[in-house]
Amino acid sequence: GHAHAQNSLGLMYANGVGIPENDAEAAVLYHMAAVQGLREAQGNLGYVYSTGEGVAQSDITAYVWLSASKINGLRAGKSWLKKLRKRMTKQQIADAQTLATQCYESDYKDCDSNRFKSTMTDNRTSGESLLSSLKTMDSSITSKVHSFWAIAV
């Protein structure tokens, strides 16, 4: 996929720019770009998980993606992560750090806190729902990304 285009389209959905506002679709697009390593999308995805905009709110998942964005050089990721840590317990932070390490080492393929709900304190994330949305929306998003690029070029 085209990570920059996916992230840009996600921002358009999040802000209702040229298309109806749809936070859930924005989150799906951020996820598609984030797993490709785009730090801006990782930051955006972490932010929406921290607020629950378009996804089930999850501090642990937010921490994972904000950590990835920080590691990849996004300055805002560092400040968002600092704010997030203030509202998390020590156990949540430890769980999130473990998952963030696994996520990074798997090249962003194994970042779903839902898999670890039996051992982690925060299991509110609906990663399976997001993956299902990704599968059903893939062809629709691909055509929108192509349309976006046709307009942008």
Side-chain angles (χ1 to χ4, degrees):
H2 300 282
H4 288 282
Q6 290 163 334
N7 187 59
S8 295
L9 188 56
L11 289 168
M12 291 170 69
Y13 271 109
N15 297 301
V17 177
I19 49 180
E21 186 174 324
N22 185 331
D23 291 335
E25 188 138 355
V28 169
L29 287 158
Y30 294 152
H31 186 269
M32 293 174 74
V35 298
Q36 294 175 67
L38 185 65
R39 65 185 181 190
E40 294 83 2
Q42 292 167 339
N44 289 337
L45 188 59
Y47 177 79
V48 299
Y49 271 107
S50 74
T51 62
E53 295 175 25
V55 295
Q57 194 278 337
S58 171
D59 288 344
I60 290 177
T61 304
Y63 189 102
V64 168
W65 288 110
L66 291 173
S67 292
S69 73
K70 177 186 169 190
I71 288 169
N72 288 317
L74 186 67
R75 287 188 187 157
K78 182 178 180 179
S79 63
W80 291 340
L81 195 56
K82 186 177 178 179
K83 290 176 188 174
L84 181 64
R85 288 176 66 98
K86 290 180 182 179
R87 71 179 195 215
M88 295 175 71
T89 66
K90 288 181 182 181
Q91 185 60 53
Q92 285 176 317
I93 293 169
D95 291 343
Q97 288 172 337
T98 298
L99 184 55
T101 299
Q102 182 172 313
C103 177
Y104 185 76
E105 289 175 351
S106 71
D107 198 25
Y108 312 113
K109 305 294 184 263
D110 203 2
C111 306
D112 183 2
S113 69
N114 210 30
R115 289 186 187 171
F116 304 95
K117 64 184 172 184
S118 61
T119 58
M120 298 178 93
T121 57
D122 180 355
N123 64 4
R124 293 173 287 172
T125 302
S126 179
E128 293 164 2
S129 174
L130 178 60
L131 290 175
S132 174
S133 295
L134 282 171
K135 290 175 185 173
T136 58
M137 295 171 62
D138 186 48
S139 62
S140 170
I141 291 169
T142 300
S143 68
K144 289 174 185 170
V145 169
H146 289 289
S147 298
F148 174 79
W149 276 109
I151 293 168
V153 175

